[in-house]
């Protein structure tokens, strides 16, 4: 078979980050303010958070600064009087409990696990990601878990993948496939590292700047890609 090692992104690929994010944000707001958030609270947060994570991928902001700034900006936008570090702490506690899975992802892991080496690679906060993996019950499918917070390097930096390969004892990049939903971290990262990539393009976005080896719209389609690759 062409591929022997499969690297999976977590959020948006295996773990349902949108569901975890929404539940955590609403849960934190309720615990701090004893109410439901105002209209637009989630969408404004998502815009702020997404923008900051892109800066993190470019190494323009530290993870600690990101954790504070996303909530200082959010609370300011809604004129809410709360310490952003306090809100961040409660939010992360709520987020750590969110071990929700993307539909079909568990079945894919179960089917592929007997025949492939599999690693999980994620830009995230170590204790949070490890907690969510445990809650989701998927830790046993991955022989390696690489988290940007723990190694000090984030996707798409090729060193992220170099460290992953070193930890897994892999030398032949041509036998690896990176699977993820983010063009800017997963797919660009794989390309930077000389690794084949499979982009999960659920929203069927049209773009021609970053070209993956394969494009699918649902993680279950990965099984066909793997089969055709032989």
């Amino acid at each position: 078979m062409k591929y022997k090692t499969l690297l999976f992104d977590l959020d948006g690929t295996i773990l349902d980050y949108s569901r975890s994010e929404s539940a955590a944000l609403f849960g934190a707001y309720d615990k701090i303010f004893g109410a439901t958030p105002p209209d637009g609270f989630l969408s404004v947060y998502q815009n702020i958070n997404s923008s900051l994570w892109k800066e993190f991928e470019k190494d323009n902001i530290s993870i600690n600064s990101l954790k504070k700034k996303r909530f200082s900006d959010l609370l300011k936008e809604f004129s809410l009087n709360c310490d952003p570090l306090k809100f961040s702490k409660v939010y992360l506690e709520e987020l750590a409990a969110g071990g929700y899975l993307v539909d079909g992802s568990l079945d894919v892991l179960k089917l592929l696990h007997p025949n492939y080496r599999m690693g999980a690679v994620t830009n995230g906060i170590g204790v949070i990601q490890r907690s969510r993996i445990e809650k989701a019950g998927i830790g046993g499918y991955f022989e390696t878990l690489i988290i940007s917070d723990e190694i000090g390097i984030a996707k798409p930096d090729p060193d992220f993948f170099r460290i992953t390969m070193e930890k897994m004892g892999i030398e032949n990049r041509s036998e690896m496939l990176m699977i993820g939903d983010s063009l800017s971290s997963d797919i660009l990262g794989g390309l930077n590292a000389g690794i084949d990539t499979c982009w999960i393009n659920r929203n069927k976005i049209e773009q021609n700047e970053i070209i993956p080896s394969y494009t699918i719209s649902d993680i279950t389609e990965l099984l066909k890609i793997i089969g055709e690759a032989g």
Side-chain angles (χ1 to χ4, degrees):
M1 56 190 177
K2 180 175 181 180
Y3 300 115
K4 296 181 179 178
T5 303
L6 308 176
L7 300 180
F8 288 91
D9 167 56
L10 287 178
D11 286 321
T13 300
I14 300 296
L15 296 175
D16 188 338
Y17 182 74
S18 294
R19 185 177 174 188
S20 296
E21 178 184 61
S22 175
L25 197 66
F26 276 66
Y29 195 95
D30 180 56
K31 284 189 174 180
I32 291 172
F33 296 106
T36 11
D39 290 344
F41 196 72
L42 175 61
S43 61
V44 170
Y45 170 75
Q46 288 173 329
N47 288 336
I48 292 171
N49 192 47
S50 175
S51 176
L52 288 173
W53 275 104
K54 282 182 170 55
E55 291 304 304
F56 175 76
E57 290 169 9
K58 298 173 185 175
D59 203 24
N60 290 336
I61 187 172
S62 71
I63 192 68
N64 286 332
S65 296
L66 181 154
K67 287 191 288 186
K68 179 180 179 181
K69 183 169 174 53
R70 60 185 176 181
F71 290 113
S72 62
D73 289 357
L74 177 67
L75 294 166
K76 183 179 179 181
E77 181 73 21
F78 287 88
S79 302
L80 293 166
N81 184 21
C82 177
D83 180 356
L85 289 177
K86 177 183 178 182
F87 200 102
S88 177
K89 180 177 182 295
V90 178
Y91 170 80
L92 290 175
E93 289 169 353
E94 295 286 307
L95 187 65
Y100 308 112
L101 288 162
V102 169
D103 289 345
S105 61
L106 182 58
D107 291 336
V108 168
L109 294 179
K110 285 180 178 178
L111 288 168
L112 294 175
H113 182 251
N115 299 314
Y116 296 89
R117 299 182 67 187
M118 303 202 303
V121 291
T122 176
N123 285 352
I125 300 166
V127 293
I128 305 301
Q129 297 299 71
R130 290 185 181 276
S131 174
R132 293 174 64 223
I133 287 171
E134 182 181 356
K135 297 285 185 184
I138 57 173
Y141 293 104
F142 303 112
E143 67 173 81
T144 303
L145 171 60
I146 306 295
I147 304 175
S148 61
D149 179 44
E150 296 178 347
I151 65 171
I153 302 170
K155 297 175 290 181
D157 193 316
D159 279 344
F160 182 100
F161 294 90
R162 176 186 57 77
I163 290 171
T164 300
M165 292 176 67
E166 287 176 357
K167 286 186 177 292
M168 297 184 77
I170 294 170
E171 296 182 359
N172 191 347
R173 296 168 191 263
S174 68
E175 296 179 349
M176 303 179 73
L177 180 66
M178 173 69 216
I179 303 112
D181 69 309
S182 170
L183 277 174
S184 61
S185 62
D186 305 321
I187 307 308
L188 182 59
L191 293 173
N192 287 344
I195 297 170
D196 281 2
T197 57
C198 180
W199 178 34
I200 303 175
N201 181 14
R202 290 191 182 86
N203 297 321
K204 299 183 179 178
I205 299 166
E206 293 186 10
Q207 64 86 39
N208 56 11
E209 295 178 7
I210 301 171
I211 309 300
S213 310
Y214 311 96
T215 300
I216 57 180
S217 59
D218 188 278
I219 192 169
T220 57
E221 296 172 40
L222 177 63
L223 299 174
K224 182 180 179 182
I225 295 294
I226 294 293
E228 290 179 349

